[in-house]
């Protein structure tokens, strides 16, 4: 039985966000792994006039193509990609789902402001170039129209009422030091999901880009074990 894995990146991101885990899966298995780039995303952001519907449609088309090539599909969704993964799982037969730093319910404005405050403090000390988040945010702030942020919220609102309708096996990975999605968001999803078989992994030092956490090899192995288990 051939297995396919569809990995969906996050808002203003690209395949690089999940690439380390994709590489790990390809190294350990013979599975077919696909990571579509959502419209307006990738190395050069061009989000103007891009809609939530276009992101979901792109992911759905990628899923349909993958389903033609394999017998079972597992979806891995990172951040906003976790919401899109849930949307697809509501509409198609999906074997299992993995949610990484899933941006469900809300994004923590308080955490973002705290990180901006730290960056500002670094700027006053002349150390801004040393703040690892500054350059990422700087680029995204200049290249993310307000309209596309509203489209992101559309994705959130579209999926949230249906968490309890999802019954497939799910594993969630959430970093305790995630500055974008609050730690409580993972617990919120976990409690709301209708799945009987569900698990949550807390990464002690994991930040939002969880696939680059210093303990990623540990949770990579745990999640792959979950993915490999037959139902």
């Amino acid at each position: 039985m051939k297995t396919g894995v569809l990995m969906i990146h996050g808002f203003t991101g690209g395949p690089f966000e999940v690439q380390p885990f994709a590489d790990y899966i390809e190294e350990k298995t013979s599975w077919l792994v696909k990571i579509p780039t959502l419209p307006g995303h990738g190395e050069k952001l061009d989000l103007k006039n891009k809609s939530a519907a276009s992101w979901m449609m792109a992911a759905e088309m990628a899923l349909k193509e993958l389903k033609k090539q394999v017998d079972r599909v597992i979806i891995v969704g990172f951040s906003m990609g976790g919401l899109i993964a849930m949307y697809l799982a509501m509409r198609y037969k999906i074997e299992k789902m993995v949610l990484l730093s899933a941006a469900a319910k809300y994004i923590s404005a308080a955490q973002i402001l705290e990180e901006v405050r730290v960056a500002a403090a670094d700027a006053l000390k002349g150390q801004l170039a040393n703040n690892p988040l500054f350059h990422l945010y700087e680029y995204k702030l200049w290249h993310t129209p307000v309209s596309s942020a509203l489209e992101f919220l559309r994705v959130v609102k579209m999926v949230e009422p249906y968490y309890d309708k999802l019954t497939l096996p799910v594993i969630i990975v959430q970093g305790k030091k995630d500055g974008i999605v609050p730690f409580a968001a993972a617990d919120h999803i976990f409690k709301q999901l209708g799945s009987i078989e569900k698990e949550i992994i807390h990464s002690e030092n994991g930040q939002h880009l969880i696939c680059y956490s210093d303990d990623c090899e540990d949770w990579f192995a745990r999640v792959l074990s979950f993915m490999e288990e037959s139902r």
Side-chain angles (χ1 to χ4, degrees), residues 17 30 70 160 162 200 204 219:
E17 293 174 316
S30 59
V70 299
E160 187 176 16
Y162 303 104
I200 187 165
E204 290 297 325
W219 69 257

Side-chain angles (χ1 to χ4, degrees), residues 77-84 86 99-108 152-153 155-157 159-161 163 166 172 174 178 180-190 192-193 208:
F78 168 77
S79 197
M80 181 183 76
L83 301 176
I84 296 175
M86 287 190 270
L99 302 176
L100 309 175
S101 307
K105 193 170 174 59
Y106 47 76
I107 288 182
S108 173
F152 165 77
L153 292 176
V155 181
V156 175
K157 293 183 184 303
V159 177
E160 187 176 16
Y163 292 163
L166 291 164
I172 300 170
Q174 178 66 40
D178 189 334
I180 304 297
V181 174
F183 183 66
D187 291 323
H188 171 76
I189 305 171
F190 184 80
Q192 297 296 321
L193 285 171
H208 190 57

Side-chain angles (χ1 to χ4, degrees), residues 184-203:
D187 291 323
H188 171 76
I189 305 171
F190 184 80
K191 289 172 185 171
Q192 297 296 321
L193 285 171
S195 307
I196 295 172
E197 187 183 338
K198 54 185 178 180
E199 181 183 353
I200 187 165
I201 297 173
H202 295 134
S203 168

Side-chain angles (χ1 to χ4, degrees), residues 112-129 131 133-135 137:
I112 292 175
L113 288 172
E114 171 62 17
E115 292 189 354
V116 170
R117 186 192 66 76
V118 171
D122 287 346
L124 291 174
K125 298 176 195 167
Q127 298 177 342
L128 197 55
N131 187 305
L133 290 164
F134 173 73
H135 295 295
Y137 283 142

